[in-house]
Amino acid sequence: MERNVERMLKRVAVVFISIGTAIMVIMILQTPKTCIPPEAPSKPHTHFPRSTCDSSPRQHLPLQKKNARIWSSSAWKSRLTSFSTYFLRFRDLGFLNNHTKALCLSAGAGHAPMALSQIGLADVTAVELVDSIPLVKRADPHNLPFFDGVFDFAFTAHLAEALFPWRFVEEMERMVRRGGFCVVAVDECGGDDVRDIARLFLNSKLVDVANVTLEGSKRTSIIFKVQDSQP
Ligand SMILES: *[C@@H]1O[C@H](CO)[C@@H](O)[C@H](O)[C@H]1NC(C)=O
Ligand SMILES: *[C@@H]1O[C@H](CO)[C@@H](O)[C@H](O)[C@H]1NC(C)=O
């Protein structure tokens, strides 16, 4: 009886030793995948580092391919849809049409200008401190490189982040012709906050305030009609 148990244990041990040896042999024979020297990729733009050992320098992605990749992401698409829905309301209210010359300030990566183009506007300009070609040009919103009154509609969702809000607004109003519209989307607010923002717009009249959802957060959208060009 005891000898049977002993024999069985020995067999089990032999089996485990065999498995262990086999695994060790496989590990020795195999070149670790993590440290294969990088070969020149046949298609540079499809080559990505596969591991930390892959030290070949990242290939410069052609702009068109880079944009195509960004614009096809679901994050981009959902923000774009959000802006389109938001701007369609202005079209329904009569503040926008296909011939409106629009300007987006602090336009980030360009969701807003793309949305405006998508709903049919043929002439959309967007600026930001960092450019995102072809959607967004580089310009300081406090000091815009455009003549007075060349736009019908100016929009920003980033007034709150402006270094000098009064200067930002002054430039925004300067860009828009008399009778045109300045639109700001700010974090949801009411009463006094809206009045404080309205006070920045020296040459415009408040025409509409609405609470909206933009890019997944609650914002208050304020529309001003420009009364007079700057002296
Ligand atoms: C505006 O432009 C879009 C796309 O270019 C077009 O489908 C639409 O019919 C135009 N709307 C008007 C009122 O012209
Ligand atoms: C927007 O929401 C704020 C509360 O967050 C409220 O005080 C304000 O009256 C609302 N504005 C409009 C136009 O509904």
Side-chain angles (χ1 to χ4, degrees):
M1 182 68 188
E2 263 193 10
R3 277 183 61 171
N4 272 354
V5 171
E6 206 174 291
R7 226 189 300 158
M8 207 181 75
L9 284 178
K10 264 184 193 161
R11 251 185 241 153
V12 169
V14 166
V15 167
F16 275 109
I17 287 167
S18 309
I19 291 172
T21 309
I23 289 174
M24 219 166 75
V25 168
I26 289 169
M27 280 170 73
I28 288 167
L29 289 182
Q30 228 181 24
T31 319
K33 275 213 180 72
T34 46
C35 276
I36 299 170
E39 290 157 31
S42 54
K43 290 181 181 169
H45 59 272
T46 60
H47 178 77
F48 287 100
R50 257 175 282 255
S51 73
T52 49
C53 296
D54 186 350
S55 59
S56 67
R58 187 81 79 92
Q59 299 285 334
H60 180 69
L61 206 59
L63 184 65
Q64 256 177 324
K65 291 224 163 73
K66 194 175 119 194
N67 281 339
R69 183 176 300 165
I70 294 171
W71 297 342
S72 64
S73 72
S74 59
W76 181 279
K77 283 180 182 163
S78 76
R79 283 179 74 176
L80 182 66
T81 305
S82 171
F83 274 107
S84 298
T85 310
Y86 173 67
F87 288 130
L88 279 171
R89 180 173 165 269
F90 295 125
R91 204 181 63 180
D92 296 343
L93 290 171
F95 298 127
L96 275 181
N97 61 55
N98 281 2
H99 307 296
T100 301
K101 271 192 81 169
L103 172 68
C104 298
L105 297 169
S106 298
H111 300 86
M114 188 185 260
L116 285 168
S117 302
Q118 202 178 53
I119 66 166
L121 273 72
D123 194 336
V124 181
T125 304
V127 298
E128 176 60 273
L129 290 171
V130 180
D131 58 6
S132 300
I133 302 298
L135 294 174
V136 182
K137 298 191 182 79
R138 182 166 61 201
D140 181 356
H142 298 92
N143 188 17
L144 292 169
F146 307 109
F147 291 117
D148 299 1
V150 289
F151 295 98
D152 305 308
F153 183 95
F155 166 77
T156 188
H158 297 283
L159 177 60
E161 290 96 310
L163 218 45
F164 303 104
W166 56 271
R167 176 66 189 158
F168 188 105
V169 168
E170 197 181 339
E171 278 294 84
M172 196 174 186
E173 285 185 312
R174 183 176 73 80
M175 294 298 100
V176 175
R177 66 170 171 83
R178 186 191 298 212
F181 299 97
C182 289
V183 177
V184 294
V186 294
D187 287 342
E188 190 174 89
C189 62
D192 289 346
D193 291 325
V194 172
R195 268 189 293 279
D196 283 345
I197 294 164
R199 244 177 245 129
L200 295 169
F201 286 80
L202 298 175
N203 294 302
S204 310
K205 212 175 83 187
L206 194 153
V207 291
D208 181 67
V209 183
N211 287 341
V212 298
T213 302
L214 187 59
E215 300 175 278
S217 49
K218 290 180 162 187
R219 313 296 299 269
T220 294
S221 173
I222 312 170
I223 308 181
F224 297 93
K225 187 169 187 173
V226 177
Q227 302 296 298
D228 244 321
S229 37
Q230 297 265 322

